[in-house]
Amino acid sequence: MRAEVRSTSLALAAFVAACAPAERDRGVSPDAPLAARMKVADARMGRAVFRQCAACHTIDAGTGDRDGPNLHGVTRAQVGHNSARFGYTAALQSVGGTWSCARLDRWLTNPATFAPGTSMRFPGLHNGLDRADVIAYLYAGGGDKPDCR
Ligand code: HEC
């Protein structure tokens, strides 16, 4: 009887473990190069990933800053300049240039490595598919398609 219960719960655990990755199995590894990940990136899944960002960021046009700047159209912005009213660190503003898929991928892997001294207190998204999805969502939120050349 006990063994039966145990094997049922083992089977259940195996079922749950098999289901979670299957749902996001898009034939591309989270460690694949960015271009391959962006080909299967899904802005709707990125919207769910963005819940981790939403405590600090809004993305809709005309919405305000929170602990972090509003991100509407950030994919076209100069690094550290998307919101005119936000008090950015010199660490981020001195990076220079505009955001791109590749830069967002590096930033979101580990903000403190991309811009040492940044005030974005976020450990980073360690799953490369989560990063690709949220990048697709950042582009979609600004009305753009990702241009990841
Ligand atoms: C705990 C708060 C916090 C969280 C969570 C957070 N951020 Fe940030 N973010 C910030 C702050 C603060 C800055 C400004 C950093 C600076 O000036 O150094 C920033 C800056 C940014 C920028 C650059 C904006 C610009 O104008 O160049 C992007 C892009 C960004 N965050 C994306 C994200 C995404 C995507 C997530 C979730 C995966 C996220 N952030 C999670 C606080 C946060």
Side-chain angles (χ1 to χ4, degrees):
M1 175 69 185
R2 272 187 93 151
E4 217 171 88
V5 169
R6 192 169 331 129
S7 72
T8 306
S9 57
L10 277 180
L12 186 63
F15 177 74
V16 169
C19 268
E23 200 196 353
R24 48 178 309 140
D25 186 5
R26 288 174 262 169
V28 171
S29 153
D31 302 320
L34 176 62
R37 283 182 282 126
M38 290 311 298
K39 278 201 185 118
V40 298
D42 182 339
R44 281 168 312 170
M45 291 183 91
R47 188 192 178 98
V49 176
F50 194 78
R51 287 195 206 118
Q52 297 179 53
C53 324
C56 300
H57 291 291
T58 58
I59 192 166
D60 293 335
T63 46
D65 301 326
R66 291 187 178 157
D67 279 359
N70 170 258
L71 294 180
H72 187 80
V74 72
T75 53
R76 291 187 300 269
Q78 260 191 290
V79 174
H81 288 83
N82 194 52
S83 168
R85 285 174 304 275
F86 188 79
Y88 290 95
T89 59
L92 187 62
Q93 289 201 310
S94 65
V95 168
T98 53
W99 285 113
S100 63
C101 285
R103 285 178 141 198
L104 285 166
D105 193 47
R106 285 199 289 124
W107 168 244
L108 295 174
T109 299
N110 187 339
T113 306
F114 181 88
T118 179
S119 55
M120 175 154 141
R121 308 223 183 286
F122 183 73
L125 293 171
H126 300 301
N127 184 300
L129 287 171
D130 285 349
R131 290 198 301 279
D133 288 343
V134 88
I135 290 169
Y137 180 66
L138 292 176
Y139 275 88
D144 280 336
K145 281 210 152 91
D147 175 6
C148 301
R149 278 169 294 176

